[in-house]
Amino acid sequence: DAKTTQPPSMDCAEGRAANLPCNHSTISGNEYVYWYRQIHSQGPQYIIHGLKNNETNEMASLIITEDRKSSTLILPHATLRDTAVYYCIVRAASGGSNYKLTFGKGTLLTVNP
Amino acid sequence: GAVVSQHPSWVICKSGTSVKIECRSLDFQATTMFWYRQFPKQSLMLMATSNEGSKATYEQGVEKDKFLINHASLTLSTLTVTSAHPEDSSFYICSARGGSESGEQYFGPGTRLTVT
């Protein structure tokens, strides 16, 4: 049972920023927010993760609200190759030898030319 | 990011036969590996978790005698689908994580299994 809620689909124009929301109102203090994406018929690709602070890497930015109950993944300049299903996942911090990524249904982002 | 490979990328087998899928971490040592299954238009479902040198931990509803998992080294895990049936046809994806505190988990490209 996924702990996150995402819109099933979104559209974005090529070259524009894509802002993908995620609600995780039951997140615990030691749980991180992870984002992965899956292009059709491929394995998921790690994008970014964060705990409290906003994070940025070469792929995207992650904005986490102060109460940590929601977050937004931002692809600053979407391209056609960014069309994929985007998964927002919460997971306990490392410390145990096993921790699981539980995938929900994600958001299908379609980038249009 | 780290690279995880799977072999084969696709396989077709006859009902009743067994199929082995390999998962390798190419540039890091994977202390834990995970096996997922994905049916068409559905999300990934975790099947089992394995630590190097230990028995795999299976998720509820996954038959451990049918889906044999071996994690014999820090870079290799195998999933064997025994006595495959058409309903086992699916996209099987492995994932691996190292022992660092960073927490990233990397996925293989997946193996498409078709049982005829």
Side-chain angles (χ1 to χ4, degrees):
Chain A
D1 51 338
K3 297 181 179 181
T4 62
T5 304
Q6 298 177 254
S9 64
M10 292 183 65
D11 284 284
C12 177
E14 187 177 19
R16 295 295 190 104
N19 298 286
L20 291 91
C22 179
N23 287 321
H24 31 79
S25 58
T26 61
I27 192 170
S28 300
N30 68 341
E31 288 182 319
Y32 284 75
V33 179
Y34 285 79
W35 283 84
Y36 283 78
R37 72 180 182 183
Q38 186 178 27
I39 296 171
H40 183 63
S41 294
Q42 297 183 22
Q45 177 188 22
Y46 167 81
I47 301 174
I48 200 167
H49 75 283
L51 182 64
K52 294 181 181 179
N53 300 320
N54 298 335
E55 302 288 344
T56 296
N57 63 20
E58 65 278 5
M59 288 184 68
S61 294
L62 173 60
I63 308 299
I64 302 174
T65 58
E66 192 170 345
D67 63 7
R68 301 186 70 237
K69 293 185 177 182
S70 66
S71 61
T72 301
L73 178 75
I74 301 173
L75 306 178
H77 304 287
T79 70
L80 298 179
R81 288 176 292 183
D82 291 322
T83 293
V85 178
Y86 287 76
Y87 296 99
C88 168
I89 303 168
V90 296
R91 187 180 74 178
S94 60
S97 58
N98 296 327
Y99 48 82
K100 310 171 188 177
L101 288 174
T102 301
F103 286 79
K105 297 183 178 180
T107 295
L108 172 60
L109 174 68
T110 302
V111 181
N112 301 304
Chain B
V3 179
V4 176
S5 70
Q6 280 185 244
H7 178 81
S9 56
W10 59 271
V11 58
I12 301 172
C13 72
K14 292 187 177 180
S15 186
T17 62
S18 295
V19 174
K20 180 184 285 188
I21 302 170
E22 291 187 351
C23 175
R24 295 181 184 271
S25 56
L26 298 185
D27 50 3
F28 68 102
Q29 292 186 325
T31 54
T32 307
M33 285 187 169
F34 306 84
W35 286 94
Y36 292 79
R37 179 168 54 180
Q38 185 175 33
F39 292 107
K41 297 189 178 181
Q42 294 187 22
S43 190
L44 285 79
M45 291 182 57
L46 180 64
M47 299 175 67
T49 303
S50 72
N51 291 306
E52 185 264 339
S54 303
K55 288 185 178 180
T57 302
Y58 290 81
E59 295 298 302
Q60 191 172 11
V62 178
E63 300 175 60
K64 63 179 182 180
D65 294 330
K66 180 172 182 63
F67 299 99
L68 303 179
I69 292 171
N70 184 278
H71 190 169
S73 77
L74 287 172
T75 59
L76 173 65
S77 176
T78 60
L79 168 67
T80 301
V81 183
T82 63
S83 186
H85 288 96
E87 56 265 32
D88 298 322
S89 298
S90 188
F91 192 47
Y92 291 87
I93 307 168
C94 75
S95 179
R97 65 167 285 264
S100 71
E101 292 294 311
S102 62
E104 290 95 331
Q105 186 172 321
Y106 298 96
F107 287 80
T111 296
R112 177 77 57 191
L113 170 64
T114 301
V115 184
T116 61

